[in-house]
Amino acid sequence: MATNDLKLLSTPSSPFALRVKIALNIKGLDYDNIVETMNPKSDLLLQSNPVYKKIPVLIHGDKPISESAIIVEYIDEVWKNNGTPILPSNAYDCAIARFWVAYIDDKWYNSSRNHLVAQNEESKKANFDQMEEVLLRLEDVLNKYSEGKEFFGGDKIGFLDIGFGSYLSWLRVTEKMIGKKVLDETKTPALVKWAEAFVAHPAVKGNLPEIDKLLEFAKGLVQRMAAAACPK
Amino acid sequence: MAPANEEEEVRLLGKWPSPFSNRVVLALKLKGVEYKYSEENLANKSDDLLKYNPVYKKVPVLVHNGNPIAESLVILEYIDDTWTNNSFLSQDPYERALARFWSKTLDDKILPAIWNACWSDEKGREKAVEEALEALNILENEIKDKKFFGGETIGLVDIAANFIGYWVEILQEIAGLELLTVEKFPKVFKWSQEFINHPVIKEGLPPRDELFAFFKASASKK
């Protein structure tokens, strides 16, 4: 039993669950990782997140917390004296970090997911263009806020690093599926370097899903969506 | 009172009928912060709006000493962090996580369901109304017997739920729907009355007849 009484309901493929794992690692916290099959959803999941019935859920003692970005902030606040800070210390920098994570969860999440499951070329292209726009914006943000250091958070990985970094494995899967670079050093050189540093970070590596397994999972997902989209 | 000092400048770019813009008005009023307000015409966006919110080009945008912040929930947390009187977020991390969760759920799930029901056409109406009632039921279970979502005082979730407290009554009347009623959702309804009668909130909400006229005009354009 984990000494802090922490349970994480997760799946291996979820970028959102990955965010929580990284935050827990940064703080050096042990936890019970409970892998959900999602089919069926466990009683524990249904009780802990009745509104969305989704993972990740962090259960701290008897307190369930849902929504990955909210869980990361919770971890940072409770264990503020552990490891390194995840959110910046000043209010404005916090607002900027929260803004960009919300932007990523809107624009990147939707366009990358829709690109993956798009049924026609037009839709694929529109979503890919949106993905490129996100990357160009993040390149600017990285150049502006890192002050020449490795991460969005500076020397240490922070909220925005975790926010976008958690999507990198899926980004690599997309690259394999379309046979083309998504993260391109000719377009976003700083982001390419950042990605290498992120996946090598001790709090991150060892927690990333294997790309080949994720690729198989993604292909299965795409097939199921295509079957569902076919007219009956 | 926390007035802006000579060097401090607080500006809000907003749109008076928007509940998102109004959230920021309410927060600034609760903190007693003086600010300059600019009404934006989204059909003819100002240079300032494009400069301060290039990503979304939307309101509200708070500009504090020349530093812009966009997205209403992000702005609300910034305001609470910066002006520490009359806190609307607890210091307790779990209470904060819950408040953030409910504010996000309002934006991601509850507001869209109700908005869709109020603007639905004949075809989609039944399903949209069902979803709106489910969404209100979620809130009914959450408010329980608390005076406000924040407890005894107005909190982040109350401010974020301004749409529920004030806009829904107007929109449902225009749509000819009965979504939030004292019979169906007595606890949320009771909360809405506490909310709109709160002395500071009352001063910050847009006048009912103007808001009604604004949305009625939008409805007749459809």
Side-chain angles (χ1 to χ4, degrees), chain A residues 49 51-52 63-67 70 73-74 77-78 91-92 94-96 98-100 102-103 106-107 137, chain B residues 53-56 67-71 74 77-78 81-82 93-94 96-97 100-102 104-105 108-109 138:
Chain A
N49 190 359
V51 174
Y52 292 108
K63 298 185 283 227
I65 305 115
S66 304
E67 295 296 299
I70 293 173
E73 289 216 50
Y74 175 81
E77 286 172 13
V78 174
Y92 188 68
C94 271
I96 296 298
R98 288 177 183 136
F99 172 85
W100 286 109
Y103 168 81
D106 172 16
K107 301 291 184 190
R137 286 199 188 280
Chain B
N53 191 1
V55 175
Y56 292 111
N67 296 319
I69 304 126
E71 293 298 288
V74 176
E77 287 221 37
Y78 175 79
D81 284 343
T82 302
Y94 186 59
R96 291 162 76 86
R100 287 171 177 145
F101 175 82
W102 285 106
K104 189 167 195 288
T105 299
D108 289 349
K109 198 177 167 75
I138 291 173

Side-chain angles (χ1 to χ4, degrees), chain B residues 8 35 37 191:
Chain B
E8 182 160 63
Y35 63 98
Y37 179 79
W191 166 82

Side-chain angles (χ1 to χ4, degrees), chain B residues 145-155 158 190 194 198:
Chain B
D145 293 308
K146 292 183 290 199
K147 182 176 180 188
F148 296 113
F149 288 98
E152 281 304 304
T153 55
I154 295 270
D158 301 280
K190 179 164 176 282
E194 290 282 3
H198 182 285

